[in-house]
Amino acid sequence: MIETRAPGKLYIAGEYAVVTPGQPAVLVAVDRCITVRLTESEGAGRIHSSEYGQAPLVWRRKENGEAIVLEHRPADYVLSAIAAVEELRAARGAAPRYFDLNISSELDDADGRKFGLGSSGAVTVATIAALNEFYALGLRPTERFKLALLATIAISPKASGGDLAASTFGGWIRYSSPDRASLRQHREEHGVVSALECSDWAGFSARRITPPSSLDLLVGWTGSPASTEHLVTRVHTPKDERPRPFASFTAESHTLVDDLVTACDDDDAEQALQTIGKARTLLQRLGFTSGSLIETETLRRLCEIAEDHGAAAKPSGAGGGDCGIALAPNHTDALAILAGWEAEGIRPLHLGTHREEGEIDEF
């Protein structure tokens, strides 16, 4: 049996702007994971996941052994990841084989509600890692990330790939996205092998950063799931009567992300706290100008409680629900923040940072 694990993620800064090619964000990989267990099978393959209900999703190959056939084909990330690897496998001359996947998640609660920690990205990364090992493709981490992004944008064209980068590389990273529309078109016209090597990856970058040692990361979950794709689309197409905010927003976000990275590199906790505060204000302005509810009332209370105790806080990711994050100096009464959150119906998530995974290739 092959077992692979991929961590979930949280955005620290740069959400929304990161969907624009070349615009940076800071993310952290958290120590809760999606696990994929792969075993070889014969005659058919099965995918066991709570996403499909109690019965597995069964797949077979056509008579030539290449193309995969499903009785019904849901458009999901696991199947897209399998399709991308299978195309690469065939191009490299590896023989097709049957396999079963068993998928389990630590990224949701006991009732199956997602915490907003990037489960779609994590399952894509873990599936590709398992198949890479199964077919002995020898993909480096950056190649696995690129294949995961190609699989993801086949399902969700606007996805930035930040979650995939965090799930692939672990730790804290500064990430910027390539032009996914060009990559998607290139793959459709020339195939996955060409897309992995083409010039449309310009704009993509990823590098490791280390947060200031005197700050702790606190995470609260509002219990209200949010649709990232819906919110991002709404922000990009604000109401006609409102000024279009995105050009100035991305420029300001870029500056704040760079300021945060510098603060991390310099181990400057005070600068990091100030930058998180400014990032919250920037998201508030974006929500107002676009007519989108990014900072809900519960997220507002999460931030205010943290700030009352000397921390800096903001929504994480698309907002509209899901998680908020706080950076708290070590001397802060973190238990008081967590207790305050619980009093407001906000569930503290006791998360650490997932270890760094492999080298990030230079581009």
Side-chain angles (χ1 to χ4, degrees):
M1 182 181 74
I2 294 170
E3 179 176 299
T4 56
R5 289 165 58 82
K9 62 81 182 112
L10 283 165
Y11 273 94
I12 305 300
E15 49 271 277
Y16 284 103
V18 73
V19 301
T20 301
Q23 291 295 327
V26 172
L27 302 95
V28 58
V30 300
D31 58 356
R32 291 194 188 185
C33 296
I34 294 278
T35 299
V36 171
R37 296 178 178 88
L38 182 153
T39 55
E40 189 161 12
S41 60
E42 294 184 3
R46 293 170 177 81
I47 305 172
H48 301 261
S49 170
S50 60
E51 296 294 318
Y52 303 139
Q54 293 184 342
L57 182 68
V58 179
W59 59 272
R60 292 180 172 83
R61 296 184 181 276
K62 289 186 177 180
E63 291 182 1
N64 63 4
E66 290 293 336
I68 289 175
V69 179
L70 296 164
E71 291 183 3
H72 63 287
R73 186 176 179 84
D76 77 357
Y77 296 96
V78 174
L79 295 173
S80 190
I82 291 172
V85 175
E86 286 288 327
E87 186 178 343
L88 181 62
R89 184 269 312 156
R92 293 190 174 184
R97 298 154 69 186
Y98 279 109
F99 52 86
D100 294 340
L101 299 180
N102 192 300
I103 300 167
S104 58
S105 175
E106 301 168 346
L107 305 183
D108 45 29
D109 71 359
D111 296 325
R113 293 183 299 171
K114 298 183 186 302
F115 290 134
L117 298 176
S119 57
S120 298
V123 76
T124 304
V125 168
T127 298
I128 285 174
L131 291 171
N132 173 56
E133 186 174 345
F134 182 62
Y135 284 124
L137 297 174
L139 298 174
R140 301 188 306 277
T142 301
E143 292 174 316
R144 286 190 277 111
F145 160 78
K146 293 169 73 173
L147 196 59
L149 184 58
L150 292 173
T152 296
I153 60 178
I155 302 298
S156 180
K158 289 187 172 68
S160 72
D163 54 350
L164 304 170
S167 293
T168 300
F169 303 122
W172 286 60
I173 64 168
R174 179 194 186 275
Y175 169 81
S176 63
S177 62
D179 186 335
R180 283 90 66 214
S182 294
L183 284 171
R184 194 168 190 254
Q185 181 177 353
H186 190 106
R187 180 187 175 185
E188 290 173 352
E189 294 177 355
H190 305 288
V192 71
V193 175
S194 179
L196 285 171
E197 300 171 350
C198 71
S199 61
D200 294 323
W201 291 94
F204 161 65
S205 68
R207 80 166 180 88
R208 302 196 184 285
I209 60 177
T210 303
S213 58
S214 58
L215 295 178
D216 295 323
L217 176 65
L218 306 178
V219 184
W221 181 52
T222 68
S224 175
S227 169
T228 298
E229 186 168 6
H230 170 76
L231 284 164
V232 169
T233 298
R234 183 175 175 84
V235 164
H236 272 284
T237 55
K239 296 178 181 178
D240 292 340
E241 66 270 18
R242 294 187 184 275
R244 196 171 173 82
F246 218 72
S248 62
F249 170 79
T250 53
E252 292 180 58
S253 177
H254 197 302
T255 298
L256 288 175
V257 168
D258 285 346
D259 288 346
L260 181 59
V261 171
T262 298
C264 290
D265 288 341
D266 295 342
D267 198 15
D268 187 339
E270 186 58 35
Q271 179 64 38
L273 293 174
Q274 291 179 12
T275 304
I276 292 298
K278 292 177 181 178
R280 180 194 176 197
T281 299
L282 186 62
L283 285 176
Q284 289 173 328
R285 286 170 46 203
L286 177 66
F288 175 76
T289 56
S290 65
S292 300
L293 187 63
I294 295 174
E295 184 175 293
T296 63
E297 178 64 20
T298 306
L299 285 171
R300 182 184 68 80
R301 288 295 298 137
L302 179 152
C303 295
E304 289 176 347
I305 290 166
E307 290 169 353
D308 287 344
H309 290 83
K314 58 181 285 294
S316 175
D322 281 337
C323 292
I325 59 103
L327 290 183
N330 298 157
H331 58 75
T332 300
D333 188 352
L335 292 179
I337 295 175
L338 301 182
W341 286 353
E342 288 183 315
E344 296 285 340
I346 299 164
R347 178 174 170 180
L349 299 181
H350 300 287
L351 302 173
T353 301
H354 191 275
R355 66 183 182 278
E356 297 177 356
E357 301 273 8
E359 295 298 322
I360 303 177
D361 294 341
E362 294 291 335
F363 279 82

